[in-house]
Amino acid sequence: MTLQKIQNIDIENKKVFLRCDFNVPFDKYGNIEDYTRVNAVLETIKFLLRNNCSIIIASHLGRPEWFEKKFSLYPIQKVLRALLRLPINLASWVCDEKTILQAKNLKNWEILLLENLRFDKREKQNDKTFAKCLANMAEIYINDAFWVSHRNHSSVDKISDFFLEWEKAAGFLLQKENSYFKDKINNPENPFVAIVGWAKVSSKLLTIKKLLEKVDKIIIGWAMSFTFLKAMWYNIWNSLVENELLEEAKNILKTAKNLNKKLILPIDFIISDIFWENWIIKTVDFDKIPDWFMGLDIWEKSIKLFEKEIYWAKMIFWNWPMWAYEFESFFEWSTSIANILANCKWETFVWWWDSIAVINKLWLSREINFISTGWWASLELLEGKKLPGIEKLKI
């Protein structure tokens, strides 16, 4: 089965329902901090406009329980206006009589942005009635929201049931994301090195196990490294650790050895007796953390070790900064991986929001081969799971 593509269906002069992902981060003043996901879908929007379509754009933002002003898509409306240089109407609600009438009256080249899909609780319930309400607004359904394509939500899953196979397709962003995982991650060029970081091993267990089947080496960063170090009987004192997963960590270490794969852990840390910016005490080797102290970030020896392993690879997969990159005093070390990847001559793949934030903050996005807009969707594809938002578009 192949993915139905927007360029292969008849969309000219049609009314199109476009599912996007505008779940972007905001600063404390309500300004958008990162435009990656907005920019990523512009290719699809412009393609629809060139084909004289009228467009109903839908997205969620945050996790509202009901209508909350701070989760309105009004800031997205302003950004789209500026980027497309077209008037963008923001519907007063997600799907009611007034919104349906607005959609019905759309002319070619006109765009209606629906309010936050999650303002209606039926969206997350994958409700058939709500999905039908959304589907009735348009003749064509396009999914370009890779971020949520793993969700069984009305605008991703159930809505597809109301369109025939030649009336629904993947946008350009969704095609790129799906293709990259299919062609690159599942059939990588070796040596393949993965850089995996997260606070907890529990959220990445299956990912690490699946990666061991594909990669040659895994660099373990951030807090999860302490669970592995403790599993190897090193004293990590107050550093963040999941004691209930020590046996699982031992099993992963054993599996890696049996598969002749290598797990690479940090060999030195910045430490402190409290997790606070500018409260750094000193730096030590990984096996010399003093009583009652905790590791907060990697240090020079670890950077040099990781750099050596990265340059050895022909394909590098990175999903998380090493530690507390948001603290200015940690920024140089936490973002060193981004600079190493940017200077690497081989295939580089970055995903997860914080890694992308680091890349963008350093103005390095053009130096990375592929930056994914997905979080859990990428993770589930990596783990071999089927995503409903993709499966429903296969022919």
Side-chain angles (χ1 to χ4, degrees), residues 193-249:
V193 171
I195 309 166
V196 180
W198 189 247
K200 296 182 178 181
V201 178
S202 54
S203 61
K204 291 290 188 295
L205 275 176
L206 188 54
T207 303
I208 294 173
K209 291 176 180 177
K210 286 292 182 180
L211 280 172
L212 283 173
E213 300 172 4
K214 305 175 187 293
V215 305
D216 298 280
K217 298 182 181 182
I218 299 179
I219 296 173
I220 303 289
W222 215 44
M224 69 162 61
S225 63
F226 295 113
T227 301
F228 285 97
L229 287 171
K230 189 168 183 179
M232 297 164 66
W233 302 101
Y234 290 106
N235 196 339
I236 48 86
W237 285 102
N238 285 346
S239 303
L240 187 61
V241 64
E242 290 180 278
N243 289 307
E244 69 277 12
L245 290 175
L246 290 176
E247 286 302 314
E248 192 64 51

Side-chain angles (χ1 to χ4, degrees), residues 320-339:
W320 197 268
M322 288 297 100
W323 195 253
Y325 77 92
E326 66 274 19
F327 288 165
E328 200 63 37
S329 53
F330 295 101
F331 187 77
E332 179 182 354
W333 304 107
S334 297
T335 59
S336 56
I337 297 296
N339 284 300

